[in-house]
Amino acid sequence: MSKDFAVIGLGRFGGSICRELSQEGMQVLAIDSDEDRVNEYKNIAYHAVIADSTDEDTLREIGIKNFDHVIVAIGENIQASILTTVILTDIGIKKITVKAQNDYHEKILNKIGVDQVVHPERDMGRRLAHNIISNNILDYLELSDEHSIVEVKAGKKMVGKSLIDLDIRANFGCNIVAIKRGRDINVSPSAEDALREDDILIVIGADKDISRFERRLVIDDD
Ligand code: ATP
C-alpha cells in the first residue's frame, strides 16, 4: 500500500482527505496556493506548502515525483485542475485521483487517463436520493454507468423468507453477495436461512434490475 500522499487544494474536500489520511498515520504533503489554507494544515499534515500547482517547476522543486499518490482537489478552477493533472501525468506520478466539478470536467480527466475521477457532490446526491426513497436503502455505490452495489435492510417483505424463497437472481437479475448480521458479514450466505429484520443485504447488479428489486422488495408500502 502506498504511504506517501500529496493533496493539492485544501478546500472542504481536499482538507478532509488530508485530515483523515493524517489521522490514519499517513505522511501527507498538503499543497495550496492560499497561505491561510496552508497555515490551517501546518499542524495536521506532515508537511504543508504554499505553491501554485499549475507551475511544473514548482511541483518538481517540491519533489512531487517522490509521492506514490497525488490527490487533486481543486474544484472550481477547472483549468487549474486540468493543467495540474496534465503536469502530474507528465512527471510520471503513479496514481492520481482528481475531483471533478462537472460532467465535462470528468470527461476531460478520463481522456487524460486519470486513474480515479471522483465526483463527491453528484455521488452523495445519488446516495441521498436512494436513501430518501426508502429508509431501508442504506447505501449506494456506483460501479459503472449501468451497475451499482446497494446496501439494503431486509424490509418487511423479505423477513422470514430465505434467499431460495425470494430467488432474487431469477426474479430481478441481481445478486446478493453478502449479508451483514450484527457484527458478522457472511460473504457466502446460506440460501436456506430465513432473513431477519435487522439483516443487511449487499446487492450487486444492473441499475435497472436493482431498481425493480428495490420497488418490489425493499420499499415498504406503508
Ligand atoms: P471544496 O468544494 O472542496 O470546499 P472550494 O470550493 O473551497 O472546494 P476550490 O475552488 O474547489 O475551493 O479549490 C480548493 C482549493 O484549491 C482552494 O483552497 C484553492 O486555494 C486551491 N487552489 C486553487 N487553484 C490552485 C492552484 N493552482 N494551486 C494550488 N492550489 C489551488
Side-chain angles (χ1 to χ4, degrees), residues 107-118:
K107 265 190 194 162
I108 294 167
L109 294 170
N110 285 329
K111 282 217 157 62
I112 297 168
V114 170
D115 305 292
Q116 187 179 31
V117 179
V118 291

Side-chain angles (χ1 to χ4, degrees), residues 8-15 31-35 37-38 49-55 73-77 79-81 84 99 101 120-121:
I8 301 176
L10 303 170
R12 282 163 303 178
F13 183 68
I31 303 168
D32 202 293
S33 49
D34 183 296
E35 188 177 352
R37 290 260 161 103
V38 172
V49 293
I50 307 166
D52 177 355
S53 60
T54 60
D55 183 339
I74 303 169
E76 245 161 58
N77 188 343
Q79 197 176 327
S81 162
T84 301
K99 173 192 166 180
Q101 185 73 3
E121 289 91 353

Side-chain angles (χ1 to χ4, degrees), residues 52-71:
D52 177 355
S53 60
T54 60
D55 183 339
E56 181 167 351
D57 294 339
T58 307
L59 284 183
R60 287 189 186 274
E61 273 165 33
I62 292 171
I64 202 82
K65 205 175 181 350
N66 302 321
F67 288 82
D68 308 291
H69 191 165
V70 180
I71 296 108

Side-chain angles (χ1 to χ4, degrees), residues 156-176:
K156 284 181 195 152
K157 295 172 192 163
M158 287 189 261
V159 171
K161 301 206 170 88
S162 70
L163 295 183
I164 294 181
D165 297 333
L166 297 168
D167 209 359
I168 290 167
R169 191 182 307 168
N171 289 330
F172 305 101
C174 33
N175 285 296
I176 309 285

Side-chain angles (χ1 to χ4, degrees), residues 135-148:
N135 288 335
N136 286 344
I137 303 170
L138 304 175
D139 209 349
Y140 173 90
L141 178 71
E142 194 179 77
L143 295 177
S144 73
D145 284 347
E146 289 173 10
H147 292 83
S148 305

